[in-house]
Amino acid sequence: MTTTTAPVAAPAATHEAGSPSGLWSWLTTVDHKRIGVLYGVTAFIFFLIGGIEATLMRIQLAKPENTFVSPDVFNQLFTMHGTTMIFLAIMPLSASFFNFLVPLMIGARDVAFPRLNAFSYWVYLFGALFINASFFLGGAPNTGWFGYSNLTSSQFSPGHGVDFWAVGLQILGIASLAAGFNFIITIVNMRAPGMKLMRMPVFVWMTLVTSFLIILAFPVITVALVFLLFDRLTGTNFFQPAMGADPVLWQHLFWLFGHPEVYILILPAMGIVSEVLPTFSRKPLFGYPVVVYSGIFIGFMGWGVWSHHMFAVGLGPIADSFFALSTMLIAIPTGVKIFNWIATMWGGRVELKTAMLFAVGFISMFIMGGLSGFMHASPPADLQQTDTYFVVAHIHYVLFGGSMMGIFAGLYYWFPKMTGRMLDERLGKAHFWLTLIGMNVTFFPMHFVGLLGMPRRVYTYAPNMGFDAMNMMSTIGVFGIILALLFFIANVLKSRASGKPAGNDPWGGSTLEWAISSPPPPHNFGTIPTVHSLDPLWAKDGAEITRTAGQVRGPIHMPPGSIWPLVAALGMTMLMSGMVFGWYVGIPGLVIMLTGLYSWSFEPCD
Amino acid sequence: MTPSRRRSKPLRLAAGLLVLGALALAGCALKDYPQSTLTPHSDLAWAIQHLLEQLTFWVVLIFVLVEGMLIVTVMRFRSRPGSPEPKHVHGNTALEVAWTIAPALILTFVAVPTVLTIFKTQAKAPAGSLEVKVVGHQWWWEFQYPGQKIVTGSELHVPVGRTVALSLETADVIHSFWLPIVGGKRDVVPSRTNHIWFTADSVGVFPGTCAEFCGISHANMHMKLFVDTQKDFDAWVAAQQQPPIEPDSTSLAGKGKAMFLEVGCAACHTISGLSPGIIGPNLTHVGSRTSIAGSTYPNHPEYVSQWLANPQARKPGALMTNLGLKPDQIAALTAYVESLK
């Protein structure tokens, strides 16, 4: 697809004329919407894989001294469950929304670097496949998702699992960095006329903050992983205590990345919820500037709290006090956001569509996760809670009750925009209620079993410890979540084929994406709208924007598809995987990568 | 905010009751939950518990208030046929300032006791404390009493009412020392020495465990704390200071002693006056302990022989070598080990 010149009447016709179908068109696509769909589908599949890993662990822990999986497999499962959910599911699910929505919400035709965007996706896909290949090539990583040194040294982890993990995270980091830069540049440069920073939708703001966190946090873990790989592959001593190194260095580097990473996982969901709540309350977001500033403040403060993951390390009373106070401080902007969300609904006309139920569910569950987080912000209390199931409960209220509920809210909200069809509300509501009940049955007892002394990451427990009933309950809850997901999958499959047609704006939203057809044409906007207010479609000139947004008034230049981002991504993954597989994979990888980059650079763009 | 203010008094009461309920539940449950963090038995654990009670009060109160507000808002403003189009309100500075200050105040209420507790519990141990050096190993705990010249494994004995100062180290990877009943956990980190001290306030036997993932048998790295009366403790010390029991060389245990040296046990295990190995636990008085294999199994001849026959079957990844012992060798070694009271 190159240039659309003729004005087109029916949006559906534009779609068909403009989007070639077939496998090749997907392999070469540089359309941010298609890349968004690719991200979403791939990440959801990895979400299911991570879910299967969790289910196997829960079956193992259903009763004491169970032998459903071996200890080593269990250790691989919890390592890969954490790694998968964080790096292969939630982050790319957020990226899926960034991709699909940011250009639409800011009134742009694509992201700033469409081919780099495709490159990000392919690197993510190949990196994800690489790290999971370890299951079949001698065993997956088994040192936990934060891989503490010196357990990860060749001495204590002689297999290749840790190499797969470290190289895989490096590969995934490149995907994240490329995407982070792409979205910052897109948001800074490509907004429609009149869309000042303080007129950007909150979701775009949160994308911007998240992207900054990504480009600043990933270099830190990159350095840590380079040290680790040097130690393992070339015999350096960055983390080797026998040679005088301090393995706590790893913890500082990892959590200096890791805590901003937590906000990378939650801020996009907060952005989604900040879009869903106003639409279904028929009322603008309450205190928009404060919600935006809180998000920025959370992103900023996320850099000053990392050692609250390390209260048991023994950093001394001054460090413990500092990190306790800075952590507690984050409760303020978080609380402010929650109050503003509630105030958005106050006095509104709250329509409890599935998207809205998930948004309210997000707030409700995130309060739980936030409050348990507040409890272990206090170091002495944390010393009884850290490394127990209490923390497992906390992280799942934040990431499942928080991030995933937010992502589901976004899916129900924007699915009509993505596909042109509505999701079924009855199946959706079943999905929501089962998720809410299932997750609480699963994770709520974990608070108690943790306070009653069950450490995390144990493949077995003794029968006389009082852990039995609560573990059985958690295991039963998982099947509620599985049932909920089956409803969701059935809903998507059914609605995609025969859902009610959505029209441009099924919910009466206020942001620009609702001004154009569903799904949007490849060029998004025929006429780029001029924005005069925060909620453009709810403003006086909203009807005018809606009327003109689809009109094509002249030639539109769109970048052609390209296979080279995929080739470069494949070559780069092979090159890096050579650190595990050997030079005979690495050298061909280098050649393929250079071919890809060279052809990409000299490919004509018109 | 009027509705929530109107409700706040009964809610506060409800929150208080919830906290009390949870604590009451926890208080009577030590028998059922032996590793519970909610049944303090030392000054350190109590300091943490007092802080936890305050935290729980605020957290439950905030939870009930905010979730209540959320539910009330959703129910009250739920769309009904004929609901009017809402007024577009963009914000309210006074309100927003109020709900910024409110959490800040609550934070202060929690932050002050937090910092005080941090400095109190991390101060230097009082002089005259009983000093014990704890060494974490994959996957068992070693306890050295330098003043008493005792080395033992997996079972820590302390006298009630006397402050015990632990210095914590590791022989290999990071572990985390955790006896919930006497206080929070503390990591043992290579090339560092950590400290923790507590005064146990009641006699009993309490389980503890490693809390930081440390490899394949992390789940099997337990320990036991024996809080003894001073008299019992002194007797224990005196017994541990004895040289190992010398079995009659014609008895089964005597054969076991010879076997101990012959098959290679001595390379890793110390038996005072007999062997110098320091890789595995000191066995000088292993027969006096109540459990084996990182406090995973009771110290009973049946378990000991299974352990000797195949350590990795009872404890995956265990670093003790499977020596391929024959049944008669196992019987002799078991008899010897069990005799080392």
Side-chain angles (χ1 to χ4, degrees), chain A residues 325-449:
Chain A
L325 297 180
S326 63
T327 304
M328 290 180 183
L329 213 53
I330 289 198
I332 298 176
T334 313
V336 166
K337 274 189 177 232
I338 287 167
F339 288 127
N340 278 21
W341 287 327
I342 294 175
T344 302
M345 292 186 280
W346 186 269
R349 204 176 75 203
V350 176
E351 288 174 50
L352 288 178
K353 301 285 189 204
T354 309
M356 185 64 164
L357 285 173
F358 271 108
V360 175
F362 165 93
I363 302 176
S364 169
M365 293 299 103
F366 185 73
I367 293 170
M368 288 279 296
L371 289 173
S372 58
F374 182 60
M375 288 176 82
H376 38 247
S378 179
D382 181 66
L383 292 179
Q384 288 285 30
Q385 293 161 7
T386 186
D387 279 319
T388 71
Y389 264 85
F390 190 86
V391 170
V392 179
H394 163 73
I395 194 174
H396 285 92
Y397 271 89
V398 174
L399 293 186
F400 194 92
S403 300
M404 279 314 294
M405 284 248 187
I407 284 165
F408 280 126
L411 270 170
Y412 279 89
Y413 185 50
W414 282 299
F415 186 88
K417 183 53 62 187
M418 294 174 176
T419 63
R421 293 186 184 276
M422 308 293 286
L423 279 171
D424 186 272
E425 278 292 316
R426 269 185 38 221
L427 288 173
K429 280 176 181 152
H431 172 207
F432 169 74
W433 288 111
L434 278 168
T435 303
L436 187 73
I437 295 166
M439 79 153 277
N440 279 294
V441 174
T442 306
F443 300 123
F444 196 70
M446 289 184 184
H447 291 112
F448 294 98
V449 83

Side-chain angles (χ1 to χ4, degrees), chain A residues 287 313 320 350 364 386 451 453, chain B residues 35 37 67 77 79 90 185 194:
Chain A
V313 169
D320 284 359
V350 176
S364 169
T386 186
L451 289 174
Chain B
Q35 205 160 276
T37 66
E67 296 279 3
F77 296 100
S79 171
H90 285 276
K185 54 189 80 66
N194 270 330

